[in-house]
Amino acid sequence: MRRFVAVLLLVFACASSLVAAQFKPAKYYRVGGKNILSDQVITADFNNDGVLDLAVADALSNKVSVLLGNPDGTFGPPIIFQAGYPVSIASGDMNGDGNQDLIVAEYGGTGTGDIGIFLGDGTGHFKLFGAYQAGIEPISLTVADFNGDGNLDVAVANTGNEGSGESMMVFFGNGTGALGKPVSYPFELKDGGPLAIAAGDLTGDGHVDLALGVVDISKKNPSFVAIFLNNGTGKFKLSSKYLAGGFPYDIVLADLNNDGKLDIAVAADGALGILLNLGGGKFGNVTTYPPCSGCGSLDTLTVADFDLDGNVDIAVTGYYYDSVFYGTGGGKFSSAVRILGGPGKSVASGDFGRDQAPDLAITGGANMVAVLLNKK
């Protein structure tokens, strides 16, 4: 199961002294509830001013915080709304009005959870439009147009509970913000379940496929990435499975070797795992890169060219420290370089300072999100 480690007191004050040379010292912004470990952070333009904003889920406080960005890379005070134990969030225009909406996976404990659709008004404020029953313990979601009708759909990974309810679900949107009845793709696992999900065209056929990170601790090789290929109508078929390099807590699909095909990066408990796309939805064996010394397991990751050398880099959050793996070309990466002195829970990247260089936002403890601007 994915860990919900409630580290309530993290020493962020000392972090700026350990920031790698790539980034300026972190600035910290309050989010969510008091002394609560913030969960996932995402970035998008929520108020249509051309500047990236942040949205942060705080599961233990049942809150989502939106921080509106300024052109200089700073952020305003949080706009907070309630959501039921939000563990995963995504953004997209669910009703076609030109405003970004928020899609929230609301964890259900040992029972069923919900997918909440919160419609944005274009000013950074959101209102609940509808809640749709997911499976047991929904843990991760992704948003894309899976059936090619021009409307955004939602796919969710349900961790399940001790051999019951482990599944992937796909909800189809109708363009108004509403979701239809989900199609379920169950797993038969004795102990474990899906932990992460990501969407992208893995075959180059124009259809959005899915990659699912799964753990089954009853097996000798318990962690794998399952590839589900889309037939073009939004129906998926399990194509193949690949070892993940450890429990796959997060997955990102990106072109890691500049060949025009989407590859897979996995944040795992033992290492960063890289699976290069061989074409036709097939992938090579996982190449693993261990965390920095003392960093512990990896939780989440984001992909960008932080040093602007033309090679994609990967920033990760770790159980003890956060770090960057710099791309060296051909889908290979350097050893990890620490970027923070305390552990983060989630990381997102974007050009917050509008200087053509990707920056970082990292959630952590004591209701804080850290923003690290790129020195270029």
Side-chain angles (χ1 to χ4, degrees), residues 183-195:
V183 178
S184 182
Y185 299 83
F187 282 83
E188 295 182 0
L189 302 174
K190 293 181 179 180
D191 193 1
L195 298 179

Side-chain angles (χ1 to χ4, degrees), residues 64-118:
V64 174
S65 301
V66 175
L67 289 78
L68 299 181
N70 301 311
D72 62 356
T74 62
F75 291 85
I79 301 168
I80 299 176
F81 62 88
Q82 296 292 123
Y85 210 92
V87 294
S88 183
I89 52 176
S91 63
D93 185 1
M94 297 296 295
N95 60 349
D97 65 354
N99 300 322
Q100 288 290 303
D101 309 308
L102 287 174
I103 306 92
V104 181
E106 300 177 333
Y107 192 75
T110 58
T112 55
D114 289 329
I115 303 301
I117 305 297
F118 294 83

Side-chain angles (χ1 to χ4, degrees), residues 132-135 154 156 168-172 179-185:
Y132 301 87
Q133 184 173 307
V154 179
V156 59
M168 179 181 78
M169 285 182 174
V170 177
F171 296 78
F172 294 102
L179 300 178
K181 183 178 179 181
V183 178
S184 182
Y185 299 83

Side-chain angles (χ1 to χ4, degrees), residues 51 73 77 86 133 139 142 150 152 157 172 178 245-246 267 302 360 363:
V51 180
Q133 184 173 307
I139 194 64
T142 187
L152 288 180
F172 294 102
T302 188
L360 288 174
T363 61

